[in-house]
Amino acid sequence: MNLTLDGDIVRAGQRARERFYDSRGYGRVRGGELDLAPVEAAHLLYRGDIEHVDGMDFRELLTSTAVSEVEFFVYKDLRDRGFYLTPAREGWVEHPDGVDFVVYPRGQGPWDDAIAHRIRVVGERDDLPAASLGDCVLSVVDEESEITYLETDRPEVAGTSDPSVPATAGDLLAERAVCWEPPAEMYERAFYGQRLDEDAVQLSLVEAAYLAHEGHLSLDGGSEAVVERGREVEGDRFDRRLAVYTALRESGVVPKTGFKFGADFRTYADAESVENLGHSERLVRVLPTAYVFEPRDLALDVRLAHGVRKTMVFALTDGAGVEWIVVERLTP
């Protein structure tokens, strides 16, 4: 069987189509013949199904510029797991931008309409812009060629909590505020702040800024004084955290500090009362929109969240509008 490398396509033939596409989902049919991506041809060479591509054996093709080794390792791993998959090329699959492979459900292939996963391949040292995540599975290949799969999505954020409470007054301290005679609903129903004693409630600066802006909390200098204090304490990070806190509250979600989990917030979607609070579902880390991950740090956050039975959410904002990205471990 004569296979030739033509640019970034391996040209096969009609026999190859019958043997590799019709029975095992390799390549794309063109005019009755078969085109293969170099990574597919490398896998066929590795398996011993073909002997050469333009005179190159597996070792020569893998070490050439035609094949990315990290893409090969992911391709091989998914094939070993029983999946058919297609390299994401223009004209080969729908919406190829931003992904490297389209993976079909087990038992299905490129001749079917269903898609199980859209795979993006990265090495552990690659830069990973946060804004590029969502609607794909990251396949992170580490330095020992082990693969971690991380599913990314852009979810709707919604809950059933009512953020409004009766108006009250308080004092702004150095890094928090205190309401000396708050309405019972503030802490017991809406879960703002923490009890200082049987009567008083202490609020974080971000809670106080939100309540003051909404007209539920009066203090000297109003919401502007709280925001100014927050910026003194945290810099621009305070504005981002306040934007995310506001978006969560307005979506019916109760945010509380996530400090002990290494995050900005932990969240409760259905907080009826402090006595019936339940388990927080998500950890939220607030990041600037232009933030760039190292895959190692992303994997660390996801592992930590999983270890405390929560889902990791990244909130991207520059102070106006929030983009939500969920990242979870996946075993294909």
Side-chain angles (χ1 to χ4, degrees), residues 56-70:
M56 292 183 286
D57 60 16
F58 169 70
R59 176 179 176 180
E60 291 169 316
L61 184 59
L62 185 64
T63 56
S64 74
T65 58
V67 176
S68 160
E69 73 268 23
V70 292

Side-chain angles (χ1 to χ4, degrees), residues 10-307:
V10 175
R11 307 292 184 191
Q14 187 170 0
R15 285 181 56 210
R17 173 197 168 168
E18 295 169 353
R19 183 176 175 188
F20 301 130
Y21 178 83
D22 293 347
S23 62
R24 287 187 278 165
Y26 285 90
R28 182 188 73 145
V29 174
R30 178 184 56 84
E33 299 189 346
L34 185 66
D35 289 342
L36 298 168
V39 69
E40 293 176 300
H43 190 252
L44 290 171
L45 284 169
Y46 173 82
R47 286 174 47 87
D49 293 327
I50 57 177
E51 294 182 357
H52 298 96
V53 173
D54 263 352
M56 292 183 286
D57 60 16
F58 169 70
R59 176 179 176 180
E60 291 169 316
L61 184 59
L62 185 64
T63 56
S64 74
T65 58
V67 176
S68 160
E69 73 268 23
V70 292
E71 290 186 12
F72 173 77
F73 295 137
V74 172
Y75 187 91
K76 175 185 178 299
D77 182 69
L78 290 167
R79 280 279 181 176
D80 289 347
R81 293 173 184 265
F83 291 101
Y84 290 173
L85 62 157
T86 298
R89 291 167 169 250
E90 193 70 41
W92 287 37
V93 298
E94 211 175 330
H95 309 304
D97 294 342
V99 297
D100 297 292
F101 300 113
V102 168
V103 181
Y104 308 102
R106 284 188 176 87
Q108 300 187 49
W111 44 81
D112 297 303
D113 294 330
I115 292 176
H117 308 293
R118 291 165 51 82
I119 301 288
R120 179 178 174 186
V121 179
V122 295
E124 70 164 87
R125 297 182 182 88
D126 291 342
D127 289 340
L128 194 57
S132 70
L133 301 180
D135 192 30
C136 71
V137 174
L138 288 177
S139 300
V140 184
V141 183
D142 68 21
E143 65 182 0
E144 294 184 352
S145 302
E146 292 190 5
I147 302 168
T148 299
Y149 293 96
L150 300 173
E151 187 168 22
T152 74
D153 197 7
R154 291 183 174 250
E156 294 292 329
V157 174
T160 61
S161 174
D162 181 358
S164 63
V165 294
T168 190
D171 292 331
L172 179 60
L173 307 182
E175 294 190 12
R176 68 209 75 237
V178 176
C179 298
W180 301 104
E181 297 179 352
E185 296 93 329
M186 174 175 283
Y187 175 73
E188 294 173 5
R189 300 290 298 175
F191 200 21
Y192 287 101
Q194 293 291 340
R195 288 285 192 194
L196 181 61
D197 55 32
E198 291 184 0
D199 297 317
V201 168
Q202 54 186 331
L203 302 168
S204 70
L205 289 176
V206 73
E207 289 175 312
Y210 173 76
L211 286 167
H213 181 269
E214 295 300 307
H216 304 310
L217 174 64
S218 61
L219 36 70
D220 288 345
S223 62
E224 293 82 1
V226 187
V227 171
E228 182 178 349
R229 182 65 53 80
R231 290 169 178 165
E232 291 173 0
V233 172
E234 297 187 46
D236 293 343
R237 180 171 174 263
F238 182 80
D239 292 274
R240 291 192 293 271
R241 292 180 69 239
L242 180 57
V244 172
Y245 184 93
T246 300
L248 288 167
R249 279 288 184 179
E250 291 180 347
S251 298
V253 175
V254 173
K256 299 297 291 182
T257 179
F259 175 80
K260 64 183 177 181
F261 303 111
D264 289 284
F265 303 112
R266 67 188 195 275
T267 65
Y268 303 83
D270 301 296
E272 298 179 3
S273 68
V274 171
E275 289 76 18
N276 189 27
L277 194 59
H279 180 76
S280 60
E281 304 92 4
R282 290 173 167 175
L283 296 181
V284 178
R285 185 183 295 282
V286 179
L287 300 171
T289 302
Y291 186 81
V292 177
F293 284 107
E294 291 185 9
R296 182 186 296 107
D297 294 336
L298 183 63
L300 178 62
D301 282 340
V302 174
R303 173 69 75 177
L304 184 149
H306 179 77

